[in-house]
Amino acid sequence: MDRAPAVSGTAATAAGRLDVAAWRTRLRDGREALRDAFLARRGTTALLREHARLVDGVLRDVWAVAGLPRGAALVAVGGYGRGQLFPHSDVDVMVLLPHPAAASTGEVVERFLLVLWDAGLEVGHAVRTVDECVAEMTGDVTIRTSLLEHRLVAGNRRLYAAFADAVHAALDVRAFYEAKTLEQQQRHLKHHDAAYNLEPNVKESPGGLRDLQTVVWIARAAGLGRNWKELAQRGLITADEARDVARQERFLSSIRMRLHYLAERREDRLVFDLQNALAGQLGLADTPAKRASEQLMQRYYRAARLVRQVNTILLQNLHAKLFPIPSEPVPIDGEFVAIDELLHVRDERLFERRPGAMLDAFARMQDHPELKGMSARTLRALWRNRHRIDAAFRRDPQNRAAFIRLFRAKRGIVHELRRMNLYDVLGHYLPPFGRIVGQMQHDLFHVYTVDEHILMVIRNLRRFTEAQHAHEYPLCSRLIADFERREVLYLAGLFHDIAKGRGGDHSTLGARDALRFCRDHGVPAEDGALVAWLVEQHLAMSSTAQKQDISDHAVVRAFAAKVGTLRRLTALYLLTVADIRGTSPKVWNAWKAQLLEDLFHAARRVIEGSGAAAALEDTLTERQHEARRLLNLHAVPAGAEATLWKQLDTAYFQRHSADEIAWHARHLHWRVDRNAPVVKARTLPNGAGVQVLVYLPDQKELFARVCGFLGRTGLSILEAKVHTTRHGYALDTFLVHDPQNPGATYRDAIAYLEHELTRILAEQAPVLPPEPGRVSRRVRHFPLSPQVQMFPDDKGTHYILEIVAADRPGLLARIAYVLAKANVNVVSAKINTLGERAEDVFLIDGARLHDEQALLRLETVLYEQLRV
């Protein structure tokens, strides 16, 4: 639908002669009364209809005096055509004409739409004849859907009837089914096929209102029903399912209405800003164990799960009606057959008689790749009998053997675990898992609930085994290909976060659960011990790589000693990569990948007996060789890099990729002893942001000066690699991005960054106090208490400063400013941004650090700055 255009002078004059003010007042007063009634607990469905009727009345009055052709009709379409209108949704209408519009008719229609706009209606509109409607809907499924739900608001009834007949006759129901199911698949993929996002879209996310509308649209097009009661009467769903889904639809509609009212605009996302207020409206209050917003979200997730179940069942039943296949059931075994490529239970009471057959159903799905899913009958039976998975069921040796076999299957592990979670089978079989279903995580970098994150981690582990993903995870793909008994990895993924929310260390508690599970399920003792060890240590590798100096041989040796064996190292590396990539699409980056890979190779050499030094030397030799190859591609003379490289130590080559080393050498090999600052910037090919190189004789407060400049430009620092050469030059690299503009190209910013930063460094401008950065919505509503730790390094020559805080633009500038004013020098920095959580580690020195009182004052000032 097109939006009403801006009012032209002529049209505005004409509109002024109509009673626009009265219509505007009528709408405003009517909407306020509806809002008050809704907040006073009036029914959601009734109020949606009353809002549509209120708008109907205004539209009819305007239509009556707008001077439109007598033969025309005003038709409500889309959600408004359904007779339901949310508070801030567009009013979708179509002006239906008996003949193609003449110029004069177009002017009258434009004036009509402008009056509606002035009266306070946000109108989406189209102007068509009946023939144009048929032509448009043929090639566009969105228009087909919009025209499917229609009502006559005003005008020519005969023309409207002709339109209704033409739309019905032109609709190819089978093609419409296929188009809408494909549209749903694409919509689900857009949301990562995850209903348990922390800020779900109540309308569009999997399990949202759109999933319900999709099946009703298809049923309506096929003449099989227009509401849940009619679908139950036609046998497409049971009466109980109809009641359940109607109740959840009212709940989701109520949530959407409240979002519109709270935001005072069209807002369909359950954003953090509104969750607490919405929970309060529903009468939910914080408890010692759970926030009100978390209770709200768990209610939402339960509703979304039921919606997905009903959506699956109805789409299958509609497919059977629209695409009947007169074929005999294909036997699978004595209890299951395949009908229309779906797993069908022969006896719908099978799970009552033999509850263990529920696990067999998921195994059959793994064994038969030709099956596209489970039939409605099978799914209903699973849902109806899930409560039979009790303590006695879990103790049965046959059931234990069946469950563990699911993790040893060659295919279908993730699909069936997701299906088991959707139908509440997984939570019943593993009560600890059931407790974390729908549990939110407020650590500022997980964007999924705990259960969804766990399944994402297992999905990532499975992807390492698939050829089509080998280009994304080359090392992981090679390692897992030779890893025996891969179920160890999947079980570690299942248990690694299963103890979150219990209090205490979730790694330790989860390891106990994992060990008990493995013993109960006959997992060999060696493998069970490995699963438990992986769960307990699942954070060790990322912590070592991102917070410690892995160019230090002692750090690598200590890590290798903790790991002990090559099988443990390989398993921990694979689990770590899968875990980080399963937290959020934004957390993983090339720098984290490089650090983990370097630590893996170094630890492997130590475990194999080569020693940390030899392992590191081999890795760096390969990196230098690759850097020389890249320099050659840019026509840099062979050996030109030597002048620069002789000023660089092992730590430099360890911390930078071959591409970065080549980039630095390309710009600096002829400027090694230059006194003037060198500033170069480049965009990264993956769109991650801009990388800035700074090279000059080291100067006081340099780190604070650079961070302050970047903060003032509105750029957030994702990574900072601070290095001092042997001859006293600073060679620092910063990765920055604009958090307010995720799609930025940055090409125009490069010249500005290079010119302005060069000027500031040359002038050695005073370091200014940084402005407070804008806090994100998520941080504002789920604040993270900052943590500051300072302690001497192992050699006693420097101090290590560890900071954990909520990320924001200018955060690093604030830290750098405090350190500069305390005369503390930053020797190196590891900036680690996990979503909206910053975990930064600095190696610092300075005379004042040896004064205990000065250390305490520095820590106090840092806390004050991080809390602002």
Side-chain angles (χ1 to χ4, degrees):
M1 289 288 172
D2 298 324
R3 298 294 296 274
V7 181
S8 64
T10 305
T13 303
R17 293 195 293 268
L18 302 173
D19 201 359
V20 176
W23 290 322
R24 187 186 302 116
T25 301
R26 179 174 160 192
L27 273 171
R28 185 191 65 233
D29 293 347
R31 283 170 165 168
E32 286 180 358
L34 289 172
R35 183 180 186 276
D36 293 342
F38 175 72
L39 296 178
R41 298 294 195 270
R42 283 280 303 280
T44 302
T45 304
L47 287 168
L48 291 172
R49 289 174 180 157
E50 287 178 27
H51 188 203
R53 283 197 290 268
L54 171 66
V55 172
D56 286 352
V58 174
L59 286 175
R60 291 191 184 106
D61 288 354
V62 178
W63 180 271
V65 297
L68 284 146
R70 295 191 56 165
L74 181 64
V75 180
V77 294
Y80 179 46
R82 191 164 57 247
Q84 295 183 339
L85 192 60
F86 284 86
H88 290 281
S89 291
D90 283 354
V91 178
D92 290 335
V93 297
M94 179 175 64
V95 177
L96 192 62
L97 300 175
H99 307 290
S104 58
T105 302
E107 291 176 2
V108 175
V109 170
E110 180 185 0
R111 185 174 65 198
F112 167 69
L113 295 169
L114 293 172
V115 172
L116 297 180
W117 186 267
D118 284 348
L121 289 172
E122 294 190 23
V123 178
H125 72 280
V127 181
R128 300 188 182 104
T129 65
V130 173
D131 289 342
E132 287 170 343
C133 287
V134 172
E136 292 278 353
M137 66 183 285
T138 301
D140 191 323
V141 67
T142 303
I143 294 176
R144 265 179 282 173
T145 307
S146 175
L147 297 183
L148 185 65
E149 296 182 301
H150 50 74
R151 292 181 299 115
L152 178 66
V153 177
N156 192 316
R157 292 184 177 277
R158 185 173 298 174
L159 180 63
Y160 170 72
F163 156 78
D165 290 342
V167 167
H168 180 72
L171 191 63
D172 182 335
V173 178
R174 289 187 173 188
F176 185 68
Y177 173 93
E178 291 174 339
K180 295 309 292 183
T181 51
L182 177 60
E183 182 183 74
Q184 176 173 294
Q185 291 171 14
Q186 293 170 338
R187 176 167 50 81
H188 285 188
L189 285 174
K190 180 181 176 183
H191 294 274
H192 304 285
D193 204 26
Y196 293 176
N197 190 289
L198 298 189
E199 288 187 304
N201 188 307
V202 176
K203 180 181 176 184
E204 301 288 347
S205 288
L209 287 166
R210 184 66 84 207
D211 281 4
L212 296 178
Q213 292 163 353
T214 294
V215 291
V216 172
W217 284 330
I218 296 171
R220 187 185 185 115
L224 296 172
R226 295 169 297 174
N227 53 51
W228 308 118
K229 184 177 180 181
E230 291 181 8
L231 292 176
Q233 290 171 347
R234 298 297 295 266
L236 291 166
I237 53 176
T238 66
D240 287 343
E241 289 167 343
R243 283 191 294 271
D244 286 344
V245 76
R247 183 169 63 253
Q248 301 306 337
E249 183 179 37
R250 289 193 297 272
F251 172 72
L252 293 176
S253 296
S254 169
I255 293 295
R256 189 181 178 206
M257 284 189 73
R258 292 178 190 279
L259 288 171
H260 282 211
Y261 283 137
L262 286 168
E264 298 183 345
R265 58 183 170 81
R266 183 172 57 189
E267 176 59 87
D268 297 329
R269 296 169 302 146
L270 254 170
V271 293
F272 297 123
D273 309 54
L274 305 178
Q275 288 176 9
N276 286 323
L278 204 156
Q281 287 188 0
L282 294 177
L284 302 173
D286 290 349
T287 68
K290 197 166 291 186
R291 299 178 183 181
S293 61
E294 293 173 330
Q295 299 170 49
L296 163 69
M297 296 309 296
Q298 284 204 307
R299 285 181 61 178
Y300 168 80
Y301 296 136
R302 285 196 294 268
R305 178 162 65 181
L306 189 139
V307 167
R308 294 195 75 177
Q309 292 169 2
V310 172
N311 172 271
T312 301
I313 289 170
L314 273 170
L315 286 178
Q316 288 182 7
N317 287 342
L318 288 167
H319 185 274
K321 292 280 188 181
L322 297 175
F323 302 89
I325 301 176
S327 60
E328 291 294 321
V330 178
I332 291 179
D333 59 22
E335 295 173 331
F336 299 98
V337 296
I339 297 180
D340 195 15
E341 298 178 305
L342 299 173
L343 183 72
H344 190 78
V345 64
R346 291 178 184 267
D347 177 4
E348 62 182 351
R349 300 190 65 182
L350 169 65
F351 301 149
E352 289 181 44
R353 293 187 292 99
R354 194 173 75 82
M358 284 186 276
L359 297 180
D360 294 341
F362 297 102
R364 298 299 169 272
M365 290 296 302
Q366 293 179 324
D367 296 340
H368 293 270
E370 71 277 9
L371 294 174
K372 294 180 178 179
M374 293 182 177
S375 70
R377 177 171 170 173
T378 307
L379 293 175
R380 284 185 178 123
L382 282 171
W383 182 249
R384 220 171 30 240
N385 291 283
R386 68 193 189 284
H387 67 279
R388 299 181 188 279
I389 303 176
D390 54 15
F393 182 102
R394 292 188 288 270
R395 286 194 299 267
D396 189 311
Q398 289 187 336
N399 294 335
R400 288 178 171 180
F403 185 77
I404 202 68
R405 276 199 300 271
L406 296 173
F407 293 86
R408 293 170 176 156
K410 294 182 179 179
R411 59 170 301 279
I413 295 173
V414 177
H415 281 95
E416 298 319 305
L417 287 176
R418 286 193 184 279
R419 203 187 317 270
M420 291 173 78
N421 191 32
L422 179 60
Y423 289 91
D424 206 17
V425 172
L426 188 56
H428 273 76
Y429 189 83
L430 279 180
F433 188 91
R435 287 194 287 272
I436 50 91
V437 170
Q439 181 175 310
M440 299 180 73
Q441 305 187 77
H442 300 307
D443 52 18
L444 301 184
F445 59 93
H446 283 89
V447 299
Y448 305 111
T449 57
V450 181
D451 59 313
E452 191 69 38
H453 165 66
I454 284 174
L455 295 177
M456 284 283 188
V457 171
I458 299 174
R459 182 206 69 171
N460 290 340
L461 288 166
R462 287 293 294 166
R463 283 189 170 184
F464 298 160
T465 70
E466 297 168 351
Q468 65 267 34
H469 295 290
H471 67 286
E472 296 180 69
Y473 323 101
L475 178 58
C476 292
S477 297
R478 292 197 301 272
L479 292 174
I480 206 166
D482 297 325
F483 195 90
E484 295 180 352
R485 302 185 301 283
R486 295 172 188 166
E487 65 270 17
V488 166
L489 300 172
Y490 309 141
L491 290 173
L494 180 65
F495 280 93
H496 83 284
D497 276 353
I498 205 167
K500 279 194 169 179
R502 293 190 207 168
D505 184 346
H506 77 279
S507 300
T508 303
L509 296 174
R512 293 175 189 164
D513 287 351
L515 189 59
R516 187 182 307 114
F517 171 91
C518 290
R519 288 171 178 166
D520 291 344
H521 288 74
V523 175
E526 179 186 346
D527 288 350
L530 177 55
V531 171
W533 182 86
L534 287 170
V535 173
E536 186 171 24
Q537 300 295 332
H538 73 272
L539 298 174
M541 192 167 195
S542 60
S543 177
T544 301
Q546 295 174 33
K547 294 185 178 182
Q548 298 189 50
D549 182 5
I550 60 175
S551 65
D552 186 333
H553 304 163
V555 169
V556 176
R557 282 195 297 269
F559 174 74
K562 176 184 287 188
V563 173
T565 69
L566 187 56
R567 180 169 171 81
R568 275 187 173 186
L569 175 65
T570 301
L572 183 58
Y573 174 75
L574 293 169
L575 179 61
T576 302
V577 175
D579 188 16
I580 296 176
R581 297 196 73 142
T583 56
S584 162
K586 299 178 180 179
V587 167
W588 183 258
N589 58 39
W591 179 62
K592 291 185 178 69
Q594 189 70 65
L595 286 174
L596 290 172
E597 196 167 321
D598 286 350
L599 179 57
F600 170 81
H601 287 306
R604 183 181 64 179
R605 293 294 180 85
V606 172
I607 291 169
E608 290 176 339
S610 301
L616 185 61
E617 185 177 346
D618 287 350
T619 300
L620 298 188
T621 299
E622 293 172 7
R623 194 167 298 165
Q624 289 172 352
H625 178 75
E626 174 63 13
R628 288 190 180 96
R629 188 188 68 81
L630 294 172
L631 286 169
N632 183 55
L633 292 177
H634 287 90
V636 175
E641 75 284 350
T643 306
L644 174 66
W645 285 10
K646 73 179 182 180
Q647 303 296 344
L648 303 174
D649 57 17
T650 299
Y652 168 85
F653 290 103
Q654 189 275 323
R655 294 194 63 204
H656 295 83
S657 68
D659 176 66
E660 290 171 329
I661 293 167
W663 181 51
H664 294 169
R666 188 154 51 93
H667 291 291
L668 301 178
H669 72 88
W670 53 281
R671 295 165 164 157
V672 174
D673 297 315
R674 176 175 171 170
N675 288 323
V678 177
V679 178
K680 293 294 176 182
R682 63 174 182 173
T683 58
L684 296 185
N686 57 6
V690 175
Q691 199 168 29
V692 181
L693 163 65
V694 175
Y695 181 78
L696 74 165
D698 204 0
Q699 58 182 230
K700 186 179 179 182
E701 301 180 341
L702 172 62
F703 187 67
R705 195 167 284 115
V706 175
C707 293
F709 166 76
L710 295 172
R712 289 193 298 276
T713 62
L715 295 172
S716 180
I717 300 173
L718 296 174
E719 297 173 10
K721 299 177 182 179
V722 179
H723 190 80
T724 304
T725 68
R726 290 191 172 104
H727 67 319
Y729 275 61
L731 200 171
D732 302 342
T733 310
F734 300 83
L735 174 59
V736 299
H737 79 137
D738 182 354
Q740 305 302 322
N741 188 10
T745 60
Y746 301 105
R747 294 192 181 280
D748 295 336
I750 286 179
Y752 171 79
L753 287 172
E754 292 180 344
H755 179 270
E756 283 300 301
L757 187 52
T758 300
R759 180 185 63 78
I760 289 170
L761 296 178
E763 295 174 358
Q764 297 195 37
V767 177
L768 302 174
E771 295 293 326
R774 181 182 177 185
V775 178
S776 72
R777 293 181 297 102
R778 188 172 180 184
V779 171
R780 189 164 61 249
H781 292 279
F782 303 105
L784 175 67
S785 298
Q787 302 171 35
V788 178
Q789 293 186 61
M790 282 188 287
F791 49 90
D793 67 359
D794 293 339
K795 299 176 183 177
T797 58
H798 297 82
Y799 270 76
I800 294 173
L801 168 64
E802 293 186 353
I803 290 178
V804 177
D807 192 32
R808 68 186 77 178
L811 172 67
L812 193 54
R814 302 177 79 82
I815 298 170
Y817 178 78
V818 171
L819 296 178
K821 293 307 169 186
N823 292 317
V824 172
N825 181 47
V826 177
V827 178
S828 66
K830 280 195 172 184
I831 307 306
N832 184 28
T833 305
L834 302 169
E836 295 178 85
R837 175 188 176 104
E839 296 184 357
D840 302 340
V841 181
F842 305 87
L843 186 67
I844 56 179
D845 64 21
R848 298 186 64 186
L849 294 178
H850 301 289
D851 181 346
E852 190 171 326
Q853 291 300 316
L855 273 177
L856 182 60
R857 285 195 296 272
L858 176 59
E859 185 175 321
T860 301
V861 175
L862 282 169
Y863 268 115
E864 290 172 352
Q865 288 292 323
L866 295 173
R867 289 194 180 104
V868 174

